[in-house]
Amino acid sequence: GDGYYYDLNADGQFVKVKTPAAFWSLLAGLADADQATALQAHLANPVEFWRPHVFPSLSADDPAYSLDGDYWRGAVWAPANYMIIKGLDRYGFIDFARQAAMNHIDNMATVYQKTGLIWENYLAEGKGPGTFTSYGNRPAFKNFVGWSGLGPIALLIEDVLGIQADAGSNVLTWRLLEPGRHGIENLRFGSRTVNLLAEPDDPQVNGRRLTIETDGAFTLIVDGGEQTAVLNVPIGQSTFDLALK
């Protein structure tokens, strides 16, 4: 087979149309390692889903694919992108998920700068809102912050900055993916508010200096790639110098 999950019609026959529905198997944890790798390859293929704005609602090699998006004939939907990227995270495609998140956020930000609006869906082939060409060339609905706004915020925190929160376990995990000075202020984490700042420390040992301010103690797991550090962070402001390779 071609390593894809297809829908079935009423007669139990496969409908050979590639849509993002297949990638729910990643988020649900249903795919085995080989299946997950095959699905990631479909997402990375520029002939299919790796378009100028990832990921369209219909594979670009389908005859019904619309350059204008036409809702579910090729438009990019923020909730679907969030689902796909979180599924990639679950299977360890961290770098690829981060690249996809940055593409999606960058495209949404460009459209916002041009229009001042958050849209229901977006073009996969350019930087603009999608168009419902099957219904009088009507543009996608504007001011769709409810589902189009929340996903990019979460992706910026979780996949670009690499910060994952587990409030139930009182643990923050921070994958230090950015080499320069970066962090976040006023991150609500369970019942506490946390400020995180990472800066280069000693370039001789690829070190990092972390400055952390919190109103509640928690455990911070710092993932430096090849090395991991576990820090017990007390209330107040603390500084940690880490030699991470």
Side-chain angles (χ1 to χ4, degrees), residues 4 19-29 39 43 49 55-57 72 77-91 97 104 147 151-152 154-155 158-159:
Y4 208 84
T19 75
F23 306 112
W24 282 105
S25 61
L26 297 178
L27 187 64
L39 289 172
L43 289 169
F49 291 99
F55 298 103
S57 54
W72 295 104
W77 295 76
N81 271 8
Y82 182 80
M83 172 270 290
I84 292 169
I85 292 168
K86 291 294 100 181
L88 291 166
D89 283 338
R90 179 165 187 168
Y91 279 83
H104 178 52
W147 70 28
L155 294 176
E158 297 169 2
D159 288 272

Side-chain angles (χ1 to χ4, degrees), residues 121-139:
N121 58 61
Y122 294 83
L123 295 175
E125 303 299 330
K127 296 182 184 295
T131 300
F132 197 1
T133 52
S134 298
Y135 193 71
N137 286 327
R138 177 178 67 76

Side-chain angles (χ1 to χ4, degrees), residues 27-194:
L27 187 64
L30 299 177
D32 63 26
D34 290 339
Q35 291 167 332
T37 298
L39 289 172
Q40 188 269 338
H42 284 286
L43 289 169
N45 187 349
V47 176
E48 298 176 89
F49 291 99
W50 193 263
R51 306 305 297 166
H53 187 169
V54 301
F55 298 103
S57 54
L58 180 66
S59 179
D61 61 354
D62 193 286
Y65 182 77
S66 170
L67 297 177
D68 295 321
D70 200 11
Y71 261 48
W72 295 104
R73 292 178 55 207
V76 174
W77 295 76
N81 271 8
Y82 182 80
M83 172 270 290
I84 292 169
I85 292 168
K86 291 294 100 181
L88 291 166
D89 283 338
R90 179 165 187 168
Y91 279 83
F93 298 108
I94 303 301
D95 292 337
F96 182 72
R98 185 167 185 263
Q99 187 179 1
M102 293 176 70
N103 173 285
H104 178 52
I105 294 169
D106 178 70
N107 276 283
M108 283 192 65
T110 299
V111 177
Y112 181 80
Q113 290 168 352
K114 290 168 58 177
T115 67
L117 298 168
I118 301 293
W119 294 86
E120 180 186 19
N121 58 61
Y122 294 83
L123 295 175
E125 303 299 330
K127 296 182 184 295
T131 300
F132 197 1
T133 52
S134 298
Y135 193 71
N137 286 327
R138 177 178 67 76
F141 284 109
K142 59 186 178 181
N143 292 327
F144 247 74
V145 181
W147 70 28
S148 291
L150 296 178
I153 295 172
L155 294 176
L156 177 63
I157 295 171
E158 297 169 2
D159 288 272
V160 177
L161 295 178
I163 299 168
Q164 304 281 337
D166 184 348
S169 300
N170 197 32
V171 174
L172 274 181
T173 301
W174 193 359
R175 297 193 305 267
L176 290 178
L177 304 173
E178 288 285 343
R181 186 177 189 269
H182 67 289
I184 190 169
E185 293 182 348
N186 298 319
L187 175 67
R188 293 290 298 172
F189 166 48
S191 61
R192 62 195 55 77
T193 301
V194 178

